[in-house]
PDB file of all heavy atoms in Angstrom:
ATOM      1  N   ARG A 809      69.900  84.902 138.029  1.00 64.00           N
ATOM      2  CA  ARG A 809      69.802  83.867 137.014  1.00 64.00           C
ATOM      3  C   ARG A 809      71.122  83.603 136.294  1.00 64.00           C
ATOM      4  O   ARG A 809      71.198  82.730 135.437  1.00 64.00           O
ATOM      5  CB  ARG A 809      68.751  84.258 135.962  1.00 64.00           C
ATOM      6  CG  ARG A 809      67.358  84.440 136.525  1.00 64.00           C
ATOM      7  CD  ARG A 809      66.383  84.813 135.421  1.00 64.00           C
ATOM      8  NE  ARG A 809      66.233  83.751 134.444  1.00 64.00           N
ATOM      9  CZ  ARG A 809      65.419  82.713 134.594  1.00 64.00           C
ATOM     10  NH1 ARG A 809      64.686  82.582 135.691  1.00 64.00           N
ATOM     11  NH2 ARG A 809      65.317  81.798 133.648  1.00 64.00           N
ATOM     12  N   VAL A 810      72.174  84.377 136.617  1.00 56.00           N
ATOM     13  CA  VAL A 810      73.452  84.205 135.928  1.00 56.00           C
ATOM     14  C   VAL A 810      73.928  82.764 136.057  1.00 56.00           C
ATOM     15  O   VAL A 810      73.858  82.152 137.110  1.00 56.00           O
ATOM     16  CB  VAL A 810      74.528  85.168 136.476  1.00 56.00           C
ATOM     17  CG1 VAL A 810      74.766  84.976 137.948  1.00 56.00           C
ATOM     18  CG2 VAL A 810      75.832  85.009 135.717  1.00 56.00           C
ATOM     19  N   ARG A 811      74.375  82.226 134.943  1.00 47.00           N
ATOM     20  CA  ARG A 811      74.886  80.868 134.801  1.00 47.00           C
ATOM     21  C   ARG A 811      73.774  79.827 134.683  1.00 47.00           C
ATOM     22  O   ARG A 811      73.944  78.820 134.041  1.00 47.00           O
ATOM     23  CB  ARG A 811      75.813  80.468 135.974  1.00 47.00           C
ATOM     24  CG  ARG A 811      77.062  81.306 136.067  1.00 47.00           C
ATOM     25  CD  ARG A 811      78.018  81.058 134.957  1.00 47.00           C
ATOM     26  NE  ARG A 811      78.553  79.694 134.984  1.00 47.00           N
ATOM     27  CZ  ARG A 811      79.494  79.272 134.150  1.00 47.00           C
ATOM     28  NH1 ARG A 811      79.980  80.077 133.217  1.00 47.00           N
ATOM     29  NH2 ARG A 811      79.938  78.038 134.216  1.00 47.00           N
ATOM     30  N   ARG A 812      72.590  80.078 135.340  1.00 45.00           N
ATOM     31  CA  ARG A 812      71.515  79.112 135.200  1.00 45.00           C
ATOM     32  C   ARG A 812      71.032  79.074 133.764  1.00 45.00           C
ATOM     33  O   ARG A 812      70.789  78.030 133.175  1.00 45.00           O
ATOM     34  CB  ARG A 812      70.352  79.455 136.139  1.00 45.00           C
ATOM     35  CG  ARG A 812      69.248  78.413 136.084  1.00 45.00           C
ATOM     36  CD  ARG A 812      68.200  78.657 137.144  1.00 45.00           C
ATOM     37  NE  ARG A 812      67.460  79.872 136.898  1.00 45.00           N
ATOM     38  CZ  ARG A 812      66.423  80.255 137.647  1.00 45.00           C
ATOM     39  NH1 ARG A 812      66.049  79.551 138.679  1.00 45.00           N
ATOM     40  NH2 ARG A 812      65.783  81.364 137.366  1.00 45.00           N
ATOM     41  N   THR A 813      70.891  80.274 133.137  1.00 42.00           N
ATOM     42  CA  THR A 813      70.462  80.348 131.749  1.00 42.00           C
ATOM     43  C   THR A 813      71.483  79.693 130.834  1.00 42.00           C
ATOM     44  O   THR A 813      71.160  78.945 129.924  1.00 42.00           O
ATOM     45  CB  THR A 813      70.262  81.830 131.331  1.00 42.00           C
ATOM     46  OG1 THR A 813      69.303  82.415 132.190  1.00 42.00           O
ATOM     47  CG2 THR A 813      69.792  81.913 129.903  1.00 42.00           C
ATOM     48  N   GLU A 814      72.779  79.967 131.120  1.00 44.00           N
ATOM     49  CA  GLU A 814      73.841  79.366 130.313  1.00 44.00           C
ATOM     50  C   GLU A 814      73.826  77.848 130.441  1.00 44.00           C
ATOM     51  O   GLU A 814      73.995  77.122 129.472  1.00 44.00           O
ATOM     52  CB  GLU A 814      75.198  79.915 130.741  1.00 44.00           C
ATOM     53  CG  GLU A 814      75.365  81.408 130.473  1.00 44.00           C
ATOM     54  CD  GLU A 814      76.693  81.926 130.973  1.00 44.00           C
ATOM     55  OE1 GLU A 814      77.517  81.089 131.388  1.00 44.00           O
ATOM     56  OE2 GLU A 814      76.909  83.129 130.935  1.00 44.00           O
ATOM     57  N   ALA A 815      73.603  77.353 131.655  1.00 41.00           N
ATOM     58  CA  ALA A 815      73.586  75.912 131.872  1.00 41.00           C
ATOM     59  C   ALA A 815      72.439  75.266 131.109  1.00 41.00           C
ATOM     60  O   ALA A 815      72.576  74.184 130.546  1.00 41.00           O
ATOM     61  CB  ALA A 815      73.464  75.621 133.377  1.00 41.00           C
ATOM     62  N   ALA A 816      71.301  75.943 131.083  1.00 39.00           N
ATOM     63  CA  ALA A 816      70.134  75.410 130.361  1.00 39.00           C
ATOM     64  C   ALA A 816      70.411  75.352 128.869  1.00 39.00           C
ATOM     65  O   ALA A 816      70.002  74.424 128.162  1.00 39.00           O
ATOM     66  CB  ALA A 816      68.905  76.258 130.650  1.00 39.00           C
ATOM     67  N   GLN A 817      71.120  76.377 128.367  1.00 41.00           N
ATOM     68  CA  GLN A 817      71.402  76.420 126.942  1.00 41.00           C
ATOM     69  C   GLN A 817      72.401  75.336 126.521  1.00 41.00           C
ATOM     70  O   GLN A 817      72.389  74.892 125.386  1.00 41.00           O
ATOM     71  CB  GLN A 817      71.976  77.804 126.566  1.00 41.00           C
ATOM     72  CG  GLN A 817      70.953  78.920 126.687  1.00 41.00           C
ATOM     73  CD  GLN A 817      71.576  80.293 126.463  1.00 41.00           C
ATOM     74  OE1 GLN A 817      72.784  80.422 126.464  1.00 41.00           O
ATOM     75  NE2 GLN A 817      70.742  81.285 126.253  1.00 41.00           N
ATOM     76  N   GLU A 818      73.249  74.909 127.488  1.00 41.00           N
ATOM     77  CA  GLU A 818      74.247  73.914 127.154  1.00 41.00           C
ATOM     78  C   GLU A 818      73.694  72.495 127.141  1.00 41.00           C
ATOM     79  O   GLU A 818      74.319  71.576 126.630  1.00 41.00           O
ATOM     80  CB  GLU A 818      75.415  73.999 128.151  1.00 41.00           C
ATOM     81  CG  GLU A 818      76.211  75.291 127.997  1.00 41.00           C
ATOM     82  CD  GLU A 818      77.200  75.479 129.134  1.00 41.00           C
ATOM     83  OE1 GLU A 818      77.236  74.598 130.023  1.00 41.00           O
ATOM     84  OE2 GLU A 818      77.924  76.485 129.137  1.00 41.00           O
ATOM     85  N   GLN A 819      72.498  72.276 127.747  1.00 41.00           N
ATOM     86  CA  GLN A 819      71.925  70.946 127.791  1.00 41.00           C
ATOM     87  C   GLN A 819      71.410  70.557 126.419  1.00 41.00           C
ATOM     88  O   GLN A 819      70.828  71.376 125.701  1.00 41.00           O
ATOM     89  CB  GLN A 819      70.787  70.907 128.813  1.00 41.00           C
ATOM     90  CG  GLN A 819      71.266  71.072 130.246  1.00 41.00           C
ATOM     91  CD  GLN A 819      70.116  71.052 131.229  1.00 41.00           C
ATOM     92  OE1 GLN A 819      68.961  70.964 130.838  1.00 41.00           O
ATOM     93  NE2 GLN A 819      70.436  71.104 132.499  1.00 41.00           N
ATOM     94  N   PRO A 820      71.571  69.282 126.030  1.00 41.00           N
ATOM     95  CA  PRO A 820      71.095  68.841 124.723  1.00 41.00           C
ATOM     96  C   PRO A 820      69.578  68.886 124.627  1.00 41.00           C
ATOM     97  O   PRO A 820      68.886  68.697 125.621  1.00 41.00           O
ATOM     98  CB  PRO A 820      71.620  67.405 124.630  1.00 41.00           C
ATOM     99  CG  PRO A 820      71.797  66.959 126.056  1.00 41.00           C
ATOM    100  CD  PRO A 820      72.218  68.182 126.789  1.00 41.00           C
ATOM    101  N   ALA A 821      69.081  69.170 123.457  1.00 37.00           N
ATOM    102  CA  ALA A 821      67.635  69.249 123.274  1.00 37.00           C
ATOM    103  C   ALA A 821      67.002  67.868 123.319  1.00 37.00           C
ATOM    104  O   ALA A 821      67.619  66.887 122.979  1.00 37.00           O
ATOM    105  CB  ALA A 821      67.354  69.891 121.917  1.00 37.00           C
TER     106      ALA A 821
END
Side-chain angles (χ1 to χ4, degrees):
R809 299 180 64 83
V810 59
R811 297 291 295 185
R812 184 172 67 175
T813 302
E814 295 177 8
Q817 292 174 347
E818 292 170 0
Q819 292 179 357

